Amino acid sequence: MILSPEIITLLILLSASILFFTEVIPIPVTAMAVPVALSLTGILESEAAFSYWGNQWVMLFLAMFIVGEGVFRTGFAGYIGERILRLAGGSSTRFLILIMFVIGIMSAFLNNTGTTAVFLPIVISMSHKKGMSPRTVLMPVAYAASLGGTMTVIGTPPNAIINSTLETYSLEAFGFFEFARVGGVMFVAGIIFLTLGKKFLPEDEEFEADPESLNIDRGEIRHDKMKRSMAILLLVLVAMITGFISLLTAAMLGAVLTIISGCITVDEAFSAVNWTTIFLFAGMLPLGTAMEKTGSALMIAEGITSYASHPLLIFAAIFLITVFLTNFMSNTATSALMAPIGIEVAMAAGMNPHPLLLGVAMASSCCFLTPVATPPNALVLGPADYSFIDYLKTGWMLQIMVFILAMIFIPLFFPF
């Protein structure tokens, strides 16, 4: 029996999902296998299947990883850490609020994965100076980074994937700060919850950790180049916010200046890039194109709309499906899988696709129940000696809160 293109595409989708869940093979390899499968089966021409390696959002994140590395290696991140300690004084609560706020804001502009990786040894060091266990600090930090990243198009990979998918369907992409209408609400609410809900945080057990032993030492800090890295970051952000230079050109200019100014070396630039994120982007984006071309996304969309007809119910279904998948697989992969489905669902139901796509973006980034749900969650797992159950205990109420906020504020700002 010859399978139809729709079924073949769905089988590739299912196979990728299973491999992402089980990690039988490494996640980046699964992502690379997707365009290979699409090309071998004739779903897409090879040029189309592998064209996303030059996608502007792939290159944008690559460049911002390099800019972020310059911020760390010139000592700017450490300088911020010392300032936080001074402002916190003797209050552990004030310290927690400040560190979450700063990391959340920086995650919006430097990417939440890179920011968490950059600040991890600094936060552990600051925790020891405050006489606090990293167990009570690192999980709120990871959650704040995820929430902060939702506020801009470059803060977290799912936001960029949403814009790329909208452009694939010739729809208007979200503006640089449009995500912040909802993401800002979730960020502030998350900080309040994590500050007041201390009983939900992992217990402050006896914990000895030497930041030097975390195997994330990045070598000599170039304090003499700090002003250069700060100026480069400011230039990139002003360019992106004002639009006088395109997002990609601004990011690439920042990456080039970071290297030629001596803030980092070429080798350090290569090592700064989170290649798993890059491979996931480039490998999974063509699946969205294939799902549109073959009609498989429409097939799934019609299945969802046949059970839910009211726009709010459809939104809730898309959001909860995305949350479920993201808590067990890469949020980058989940957003790439769900974005085309969200658009087809909207079209089938006669809805504005933007609120559904924003729901996919928020659901992909605001996941707190497992260590594999987001890169920030995974980064703090080992250094804080967390268990799977620690994430569940801390994150379940925050997960419910995010869902409720999404149900209220996304339709408010982006009507169905």
Side-chain angles (χ1 to χ4, degrees):
M1 182 179 70
I2 300 176
L3 299 176
S4 67
E6 302 101 290
I7 298 301
I8 293 173
T9 303
L10 288 176
L11 287 174
I12 294 172
L13 168 64
L14 178 62
S15 300
S17 299
I18 292 171
L19 290 172
F20 282 134
F21 269 117
T22 60
E23 293 191 44
V24 172
I25 60 177
I27 287 175
V29 179
T30 297
M32 281 194 297
V34 168
V36 172
L38 292 171
S39 179
L40 287 176
T41 55
I43 300 298
L44 294 178
E45 295 292 333
S46 60
E47 292 84 356
F50 294 98
S51 64
Y52 286 91
W53 294 95
N55 179 272
Q56 69 160 328
W57 302 107
V58 175
M59 302 308 295
L60 181 76
F61 271 92
L62 185 149
M64 290 309 295
F65 278 125
I66 294 172
V67 174
E69 185 72 0
V71 170
F72 179 87
R73 287 189 182 268
T74 58
F76 183 40
Y79 171 79
I80 292 174
E82 291 299 324
R83 289 287 178 178
I84 290 172
L85 281 176
R86 290 181 188 176
L87 287 172
S91 171
S92 59
T93 300
R94 193 183 308 151
F95 168 72
L96 185 61
I97 293 172
L98 285 170
I99 195 66
M100 286 192 294
F101 179 79
V102 169
I103 287 179
I105 295 299
M106 293 194 72
S107 291
F109 299 106
L110 291 177
N111 176 271
N112 57 14
T113 304
T115 300
T116 306
V118 160
F119 270 92
L120 187 56
I122 296 170
V123 171
I124 291 174
S125 177
M126 286 192 293
S127 299
H128 283 296
K129 288 179 181 179
K130 292 293 297 179
M132 299 172 65
S133 166
R135 284 180 56 83
T136 62
V137 179
L138 288 183
M139 193 171 289
V141 160
Y143 290 168
S146 293
L147 291 164
T150 64
M151 293 191 287
T152 69
V153 72
I154 63 171
T156 183
N159 286 5
I161 284 178
I162 293 305
N163 267 5
S164 179
T165 305
L166 286 167
E167 291 168 356
T168 298
Y169 280 78
S170 300
L171 296 169
E172 184 180 357
F174 290 104
F176 188 86
F177 275 123
E178 274 196 283
F179 293 95
R181 293 186 188 180
V182 178
V185 172
M186 293 186 176
F187 175 54
V188 172
I191 288 182
I192 293 171
F193 169 81
L194 291 166
T195 302
L196 299 179
K198 287 186 177 181
K199 64 179 180 180
F200 294 103
L201 297 177
E203 293 180 5
D204 191 359
E205 298 174 0
E206 187 66 28
F207 181 79
E208 294 294 332
D210 178 5
E212 301 292 331
S213 69
L214 293 174
N215 198 29
I216 46 180
D217 176 31
R218 300 192 180 186
E220 181 183 357
I221 300 297
R222 304 177 183 100
H223 293 286
D224 59 317
K225 304 291 195 306
M226 185 190 298
K227 290 183 179 179
R228 296 182 189 180
S229 71
M230 291 171 61
I232 292 168
L233 176 61
L234 183 62
L235 171 65
V236 171
L237 295 181
V238 169
M240 288 181 168
I241 293 167
T242 62
F244 80 88
I245 301 176
S246 71
L247 287 176
L248 180 56
T249 302
M252 280 296 175
L253 175 62
V256 169
L257 291 176
T258 298
I259 297 170
I260 64 176
S261 65
C263 293
I264 63 173
T265 66
V266 172
D267 288 340
E268 289 166 350
F270 279 115
S271 64
V273 177
N274 185 312
W275 293 104
T276 296
T277 297
I278 301 302
F279 276 84
L280 273 169
F281 255 103
M284 293 306 298
L285 285 175
L287 188 56
T289 301
M291 291 175 72
E292 179 198 8
K293 176 185 174 183
T294 62
S296 55
L298 178 60
M299 187 184 302
I300 296 173
E302 289 174 343
I304 292 174
T305 54
S306 66
Y307 288 99
S309 56
H310 192 279
L312 206 56
L313 290 177
I314 293 173
F315 176 84
I318 293 292
F319 192 96
L320 291 174
I321 291 170
T322 305
V323 165
F324 173 78
L325 291 175
T326 301
N327 272 301
F328 295 97
M329 58 191 277
S330 158
N331 65 346
T332 305
T334 303
S335 57
L337 295 175
M338 290 300 298
I341 293 173
I343 289 181
E344 295 290 352
V345 166
M347 291 178 174
M351 296 169 57
N352 173 13
H354 287 84
L356 289 190
L357 268 288
L358 188 57
V360 170
M362 295 299 154
S364 298
S365 295
C366 303
C367 283
F368 315 106
L369 302 181
T370 69
V372 299
T374 65
N377 284 10
L379 284 168
V380 301
L381 174 67
D385 196 27
Y386 291 133
S387 64
F388 187 98
I389 198 69
D390 286 328
Y391 289 86
L392 194 61
K393 287 179 178 178
T394 304
W396 72 270
M397 188 169 285
L398 188 58
Q399 192 77 75
I400 292 172
M401 183 191 75
V402 162
F403 173 61
I404 294 171
L405 290 174
M407 291 283 285
I408 295 170
F409 286 97
I410 290 180
L412 180 64
F413 292 117
F414 300 90
F416 295 126

